Amino acid sequence: MRTQVGIVGAGPAGLLLSHLLHLDGIDSVVIELRSRQEIEATIRAGVLEQGTVDLLNSTGVGARMQREGFVHHGIYLRFGGRSHRIDFPSLTGGRSIMVYAQHEVIKDLVAARLEAGGKILFEVKDAAVYDLDTREPKVRYHHGGKLVELECDFIAGCDGFHGITRPSIPSRARREFTRVYPFGWFGILVEAPSSTDELIYAHHDRGFALVSTRSPQIQRLYLQCDPNDEVKHWPDSRIWEELHARLETAEGWRLAEGRIFQKGIIAMRSFVVEPMRYGRLFLAGDAAHIVPPTGAKGLNLAAADVRVLSKALAAYYATQDEQALKDYSATALRRVWRAEYFSWWMTSMLHRFHDETPFHHRVQLAELDYVVSSRAKAITLAENYVGLPLA
Ligand code: RFL
Ligand code: PHB
């Protein structure tokens, strides 16, 4: 079997890359470990930057998001028992964000690819990539009981943080940067009316809490927890007690409770590999970098990577000029490191650290106070949250 671009992983990075390449007349095959049903049901991100929204709209896969997603014009920072709104449009020249779940984006991209005759192979086993430093890189895998070799011009490693493409780069040819945080997030989905019109990021003595949403009927809530804790230690009553304590305000705000139908614990890390290329293998999305979810940047970075990569591949096929491909890693990494910085900053400002001194706690509160009272500092938060320009 042969294709122009072999794509490992049908997450947002792999599917969007395949879609963008198709619009430029470039053939690709996507191979995915999991079933279609599974990838379309995995609960992850919820916030799309303006640039991601614009990209989905301008490439014809935004119609359902426009109908069913929710545009938010700000967020609340809550600390010291009070809420403070950060207004995005007035701080960023009119930009906003969209609340639309990642698995809905996945459904839209899978449908668009299959409708256009695109090839996505689900439930592929034992994927491995070979001959990366030659002009004929290959992907080998088992599919439907058969061993398949896929010959490619290029391979895109879009297989997430635990995938096989990044480790296929010889260790002497990559450098990795890691920070593991001493806490995790306990995330729940709840059947309840929303308690707020916009997301609430709360700093509290007992730890961070976040109120997000999926729809007027379904709410998404998180609270800072021990990363090694287990879901079984968190009966519903304990979750509500903790959320109420961390979110209550002097103004008497109340969190609406409801039936909790999903619980999970998420580890928090910052990670980058450099460069994002080895020979004819290009890494994109979580395969190349991870951010803690506090800045809502992971999915958006994946979209930004594949936009740069698809343009570089299109330039190569149009003119045989490899310059944009040579620049891919440096171009993508510049944006990646800025998002790494923002996510690290938001995480550091809002969470309780186990080795924190009372001094550190006061400094966090002073920084939050500065963010909500200085236009300059508020712009720093707002322009990063709505997303830096894609170019
Ligand atoms: P993904 O989504 O992990 O997809 C990788 C795909 O590759 C497949 N795969 C393989 N396929 C074939 N062979 C192999 N050997 C394979 N190994 C793996 C996997 O099955 C999978 O389908 O990576 P991608 O495409 O780079 O996308 C990245 C995003 O998923 C991620 O950054 C975001 O979910 C992060 N994130 C958020 N990002 C945002 O922009 N806004 C948010 O609000 C936001 N909230 C979040 C988040 C991530 C979270 N979790 C669970 C980590 C909230 C949470 C709770
Ligand atoms: C979510 O809705 O899942 C979500 C929102 C904002 C974040 C992280 C996750 O910063």
Side-chain angles (χ1 to χ4, degrees), residues 114-341:
L114 296 181
E115 199 173 306
K119 289 178 228 84
I120 310 173
L121 309 179
F122 296 100
E123 296 180 74
V124 155
K125 302 282 175 268
D126 314 321
V129 292
Y130 295 91
D131 298 339
L132 302 175
D133 51 357
T134 73
R135 296 185 70 82
E136 286 132 17
K138 295 165 195 77
V139 188
R140 259 175 240 157
Y141 51 88
H142 281 98
H143 188 239
K146 286 204 195 84
L147 176 67
V148 184
E149 182 167 277
L150 177 64
E151 290 175 22
C152 313
D153 296 338
F154 300 97
I155 296 174
C158 300
D159 48 348
F161 184 65
H162 300 288
I164 52 98
T165 58
R166 186 181 66 255
S168 307
I169 300 176
S171 53
R172 64 181 150 71
R174 61 181 144 98
R175 184 160 178 212
E176 298 184 346
F177 303 81
T178 307
R179 182 183 178 88
V180 177
Y181 298 87
F183 40 76
W185 278 13
F186 195 102
I188 58 169
L189 280 169
V190 186
E191 227 175 68
S194 55
S195 309
T196 174
D197 54 342
E198 290 168 339
L199 274 59
I200 303 169
Y201 288 79
H203 173 280
H204 193 273
D205 291 355
R206 293 167 77 138
F208 171 77
L210 170 61
V211 182
S212 181
T213 182
R214 287 292 179 270
S215 71
Q217 297 80 31
I218 307 288
Q219 312 313 322
R220 179 73 164 146
L221 301 158
Y222 298 97
L223 54 93
Q224 176 181 351
C225 66
D226 182 328
N228 302 312
D229 208 342
E230 289 173 61
V231 166
K232 65 173 189 220
H233 298 144
W234 286 84
D236 295 6
S237 57
R238 181 174 174 209
I239 296 172
W240 290 119
E241 186 187 312
E242 216 38 60
L243 284 169
H244 285 303
R246 297 183 192 191
L247 288 160
E248 72 181 11
T249 65
E251 297 115 351
W253 182 88
R254 287 299 293 168
L255 175 66
E257 291 188 16
R259 185 178 71 87
I260 299 176
F261 63 94
Q262 207 243 6
K263 299 180 186 177
I265 292 177
I266 305 141
M268 308 266 285
R269 80 169 73 228
S270 299
F271 171 86
V272 181
V273 67
E274 291 186 2
M276 288 167 59
R277 169 192 189 171
Y278 175 71
R280 291 203 157 208
L281 169 69
F282 294 85
L283 300 179
D286 279 13
H289 41 73
I290 293 285
V291 285
T294 329
K297 288 283 157 263
L299 182 157
N300 295 292
L301 271 184
D305 285 353
V306 299
R307 182 161 177 276
V308 175
L309 183 55
S310 68
K311 279 177 178 270
L313 288 165
Y316 170 80
Y317 282 110
T319 64
Q320 304 299 307
D321 182 355
E322 290 199 30
Q323 193 54 48
L325 284 173
K326 287 190 177 134
D327 293 340
Y328 165 70
S329 176
T331 306
L333 280 168
R334 187 159 174 238
R335 193 170 201 286
V336 166
W337 274 112
R338 291 182 65 170
E340 289 286 343
Y341 163 69

Side-chain angles (χ1 to χ4, degrees), residues 57-71:
N57 280 332
S58 65
T59 59
V61 284
R64 199 165 66 92
M65 169 186 70
Q66 285 308 119
R67 283 197 310 274
E68 298 177 15
F70 300 90
V71 176

Side-chain angles (χ1 to χ4, degrees), residues 336-355:
V336 166
W337 274 112
R338 291 182 65 170
E340 289 286 343
Y341 163 69
F342 176 66
S343 306
W344 165 84
W345 175 61
M346 288 284 279
T347 303
S348 306
M349 180 168 64
L350 287 162
H351 289 77
R352 190 90 219 228
F353 286 75
H354 63 299
D355 56 353

